[in-house]
Amino acid sequence: MRVELIGEDGRLIVRQAVDFREYKHKSIAFYPVIPFEINSAAETARLQVLTSDRFGRAIAIESVDVILQKVGRNEIYAPEVTQEPYIIRYPDEGQTVTSGKLVIEGLIRPVNDSPVILEAIGEDNSVLFTKQFHVEPPSGELSHTPFQLEIPYKVSAATPVRLIFRQEGSRIPGSVALSSLTIILAP
């Protein structure tokens, strides 16, 4: 797992690697101390926590925009939304999909106005397909907006892929939220 602080111009200010493998399948709380230096009095930045699989593909990203200040005291506010932005109901983790058509069903709570980006990334980090789509914010008493996609694909053999759902930031480059699952695409 990595904790990163990204500056408003996209530069990496701080990166800390943390190994929590001994806590696999457990919930934990951690409070990293993240020293930083900036050249101006204040700067907008993104604080993000990322996890990757053994092939270097992103598993998840959680982030929050912050304002860094050279002087002053910390002001920390509770997040407005704490719900998972992307809930995939179908396919299931590890499922094999056949017939050249991937059907995806789920719920999304967009984190901003940018399109949701769906990517299928192979174990060699090749992108099998990418699709961008818009989802309206939930309305009424709904916490998420339902969606369904049908995506044609072509593979010559059973191909393990990581399906990644993410959204890009508007002010600071990079993904602001990302969730994923692994499936197998078969001919």
Side-chain angles (χ1 to χ4, degrees), residues 53-59 88 91-98 101-104 118-130 151-165 179-187:
D53 65 15
R54 62 190 172 115
F55 302 107
R57 301 173 299 185
I59 295 173
I88 308 308
D92 291 326
E93 176 77 28
Q95 183 172 344
T96 298
V97 177
T98 60
K101 181 172 69 172
L102 172 61
V103 176
I104 303 172
L118 166 64
E119 296 173 307
I121 312 287
E123 291 177 344
D124 61 355
N125 280 297
S126 63
V127 178
L128 277 70
F129 61 79
T130 299
I151 300 169
Y153 69 88
K154 189 171 186 172
V155 294
S156 57
T159 306
V161 298
R162 182 167 292 279
L163 288 181
I164 293 176
F165 293 83
S179 294
S180 70
L181 71 148
T182 56
I183 63 169
I184 299 170
L185 297 178

Side-chain angles (χ1 to χ4, degrees), residues 90-153:
Y90 182 85
D92 291 326
E93 176 77 28
Q95 183 172 344
T96 298
V97 177
T98 60
S99 75
K101 181 172 69 172
L102 172 61
V103 176
I104 303 172
E105 295 177 3
L107 305 167
I108 292 183
R109 181 181 186 89
V111 296
N112 57 30
D113 292 334
S114 69
V116 176
I117 301 169
L118 166 64
E119 296 173 307
I121 312 287
E123 291 177 344
D124 61 355
N125 280 297
S126 63
V127 178
L128 277 70
F129 61 79
T130 299
K131 180 167 182 64
Q132 291 189 20
F133 59 101
H134 282 277
V135 175
E136 293 297 318
S139 60
E141 294 186 17
L142 295 176
S143 65
H144 291 70
T145 303
F147 78 97
Q148 181 178 23
L149 298 171
E150 289 187 18
I151 300 169
Y153 69 88

